[in-house]
Amino acid sequence: MAGFENYTRDTAEIEAAIVRKGIALGIDWSDPVEVQALAHEALNHLADDIRIAASSPVNYEMLTKVELFGLAGVMLKTMAESAGEGLESHGGPVWKAFARALWAESRARQGDEDGQPG
């Protein structure tokens, strides 16, 4: 219900979970190439990763990636919802690095669909 969300708290909780998953995966959030590759995988291979994770539940790295990609979706949805209410929602450096890479990847995909560069 609009008006009752605590975007500041939600943002902090989402970012903390993303940081934990990043630690488990050994992600260097200050490396833009690595973060962009992760964003590419999140948007282009999520369905395959979910299938692999479901068929190999002992693959903890893949399960952690799928959870991270789910958090990316929640992060983007939180940003969109808060923007719809006229609020800017963003977290700290990890949130910003991942969001920037996800938006860039999304724009690149849209360019591919249009036949135009992103």
Side-chain angles (χ1 to χ4, degrees):
M1 185 177 280
F4 295 105
E5 291 84 359
N6 185 336
Y7 292 114
T8 302
R9 183 197 66 225
D10 293 349
T11 299
E13 289 175 0
I14 295 164
E15 183 170 28
I18 289 171
V19 167
R20 285 191 296 274
K21 301 298 180 198
I23 291 168
L25 294 168
I27 297 168
D28 177 2
W29 295 106
S30 66
D31 180 349
V33 173
E34 181 177 359
V35 177
Q36 191 64 45
L38 186 66
H40 178 82
E41 184 178 356
L43 295 181
N44 293 306
H45 302 290
L46 180 58
D48 292 336
D49 291 348
I50 290 172
R51 184 185 46 75
I52 292 167
S55 66
S56 306
V58 296
N59 185 340
Y60 295 113
E61 181 178 352
M62 187 59 65
L63 287 171
T64 302
K65 269 191 181 178
V66 168
E67 290 171 358
L68 175 63
F69 298 162
L71 287 166
V74 173
M75 177 180 75
L76 294 173
K77 183 176 181 189
T78 299
M79 291 170 63
E81 284 180 1
S82 67
E85 293 186 24
L87 302 169
E88 186 175 312
S89 243
H90 57 81
V94 168
W95 174 290
K96 290 175 184 170
F98 201 20
R100 192 171 24 253
L102 288 164
W103 287 123
E105 187 63 32
S106 178
R107 283 191 304 273
R109 287 178 56 161
Q110 289 172 354
D112 289 344
E113 292 169 5
D114 298 338
Q116 301 292 322

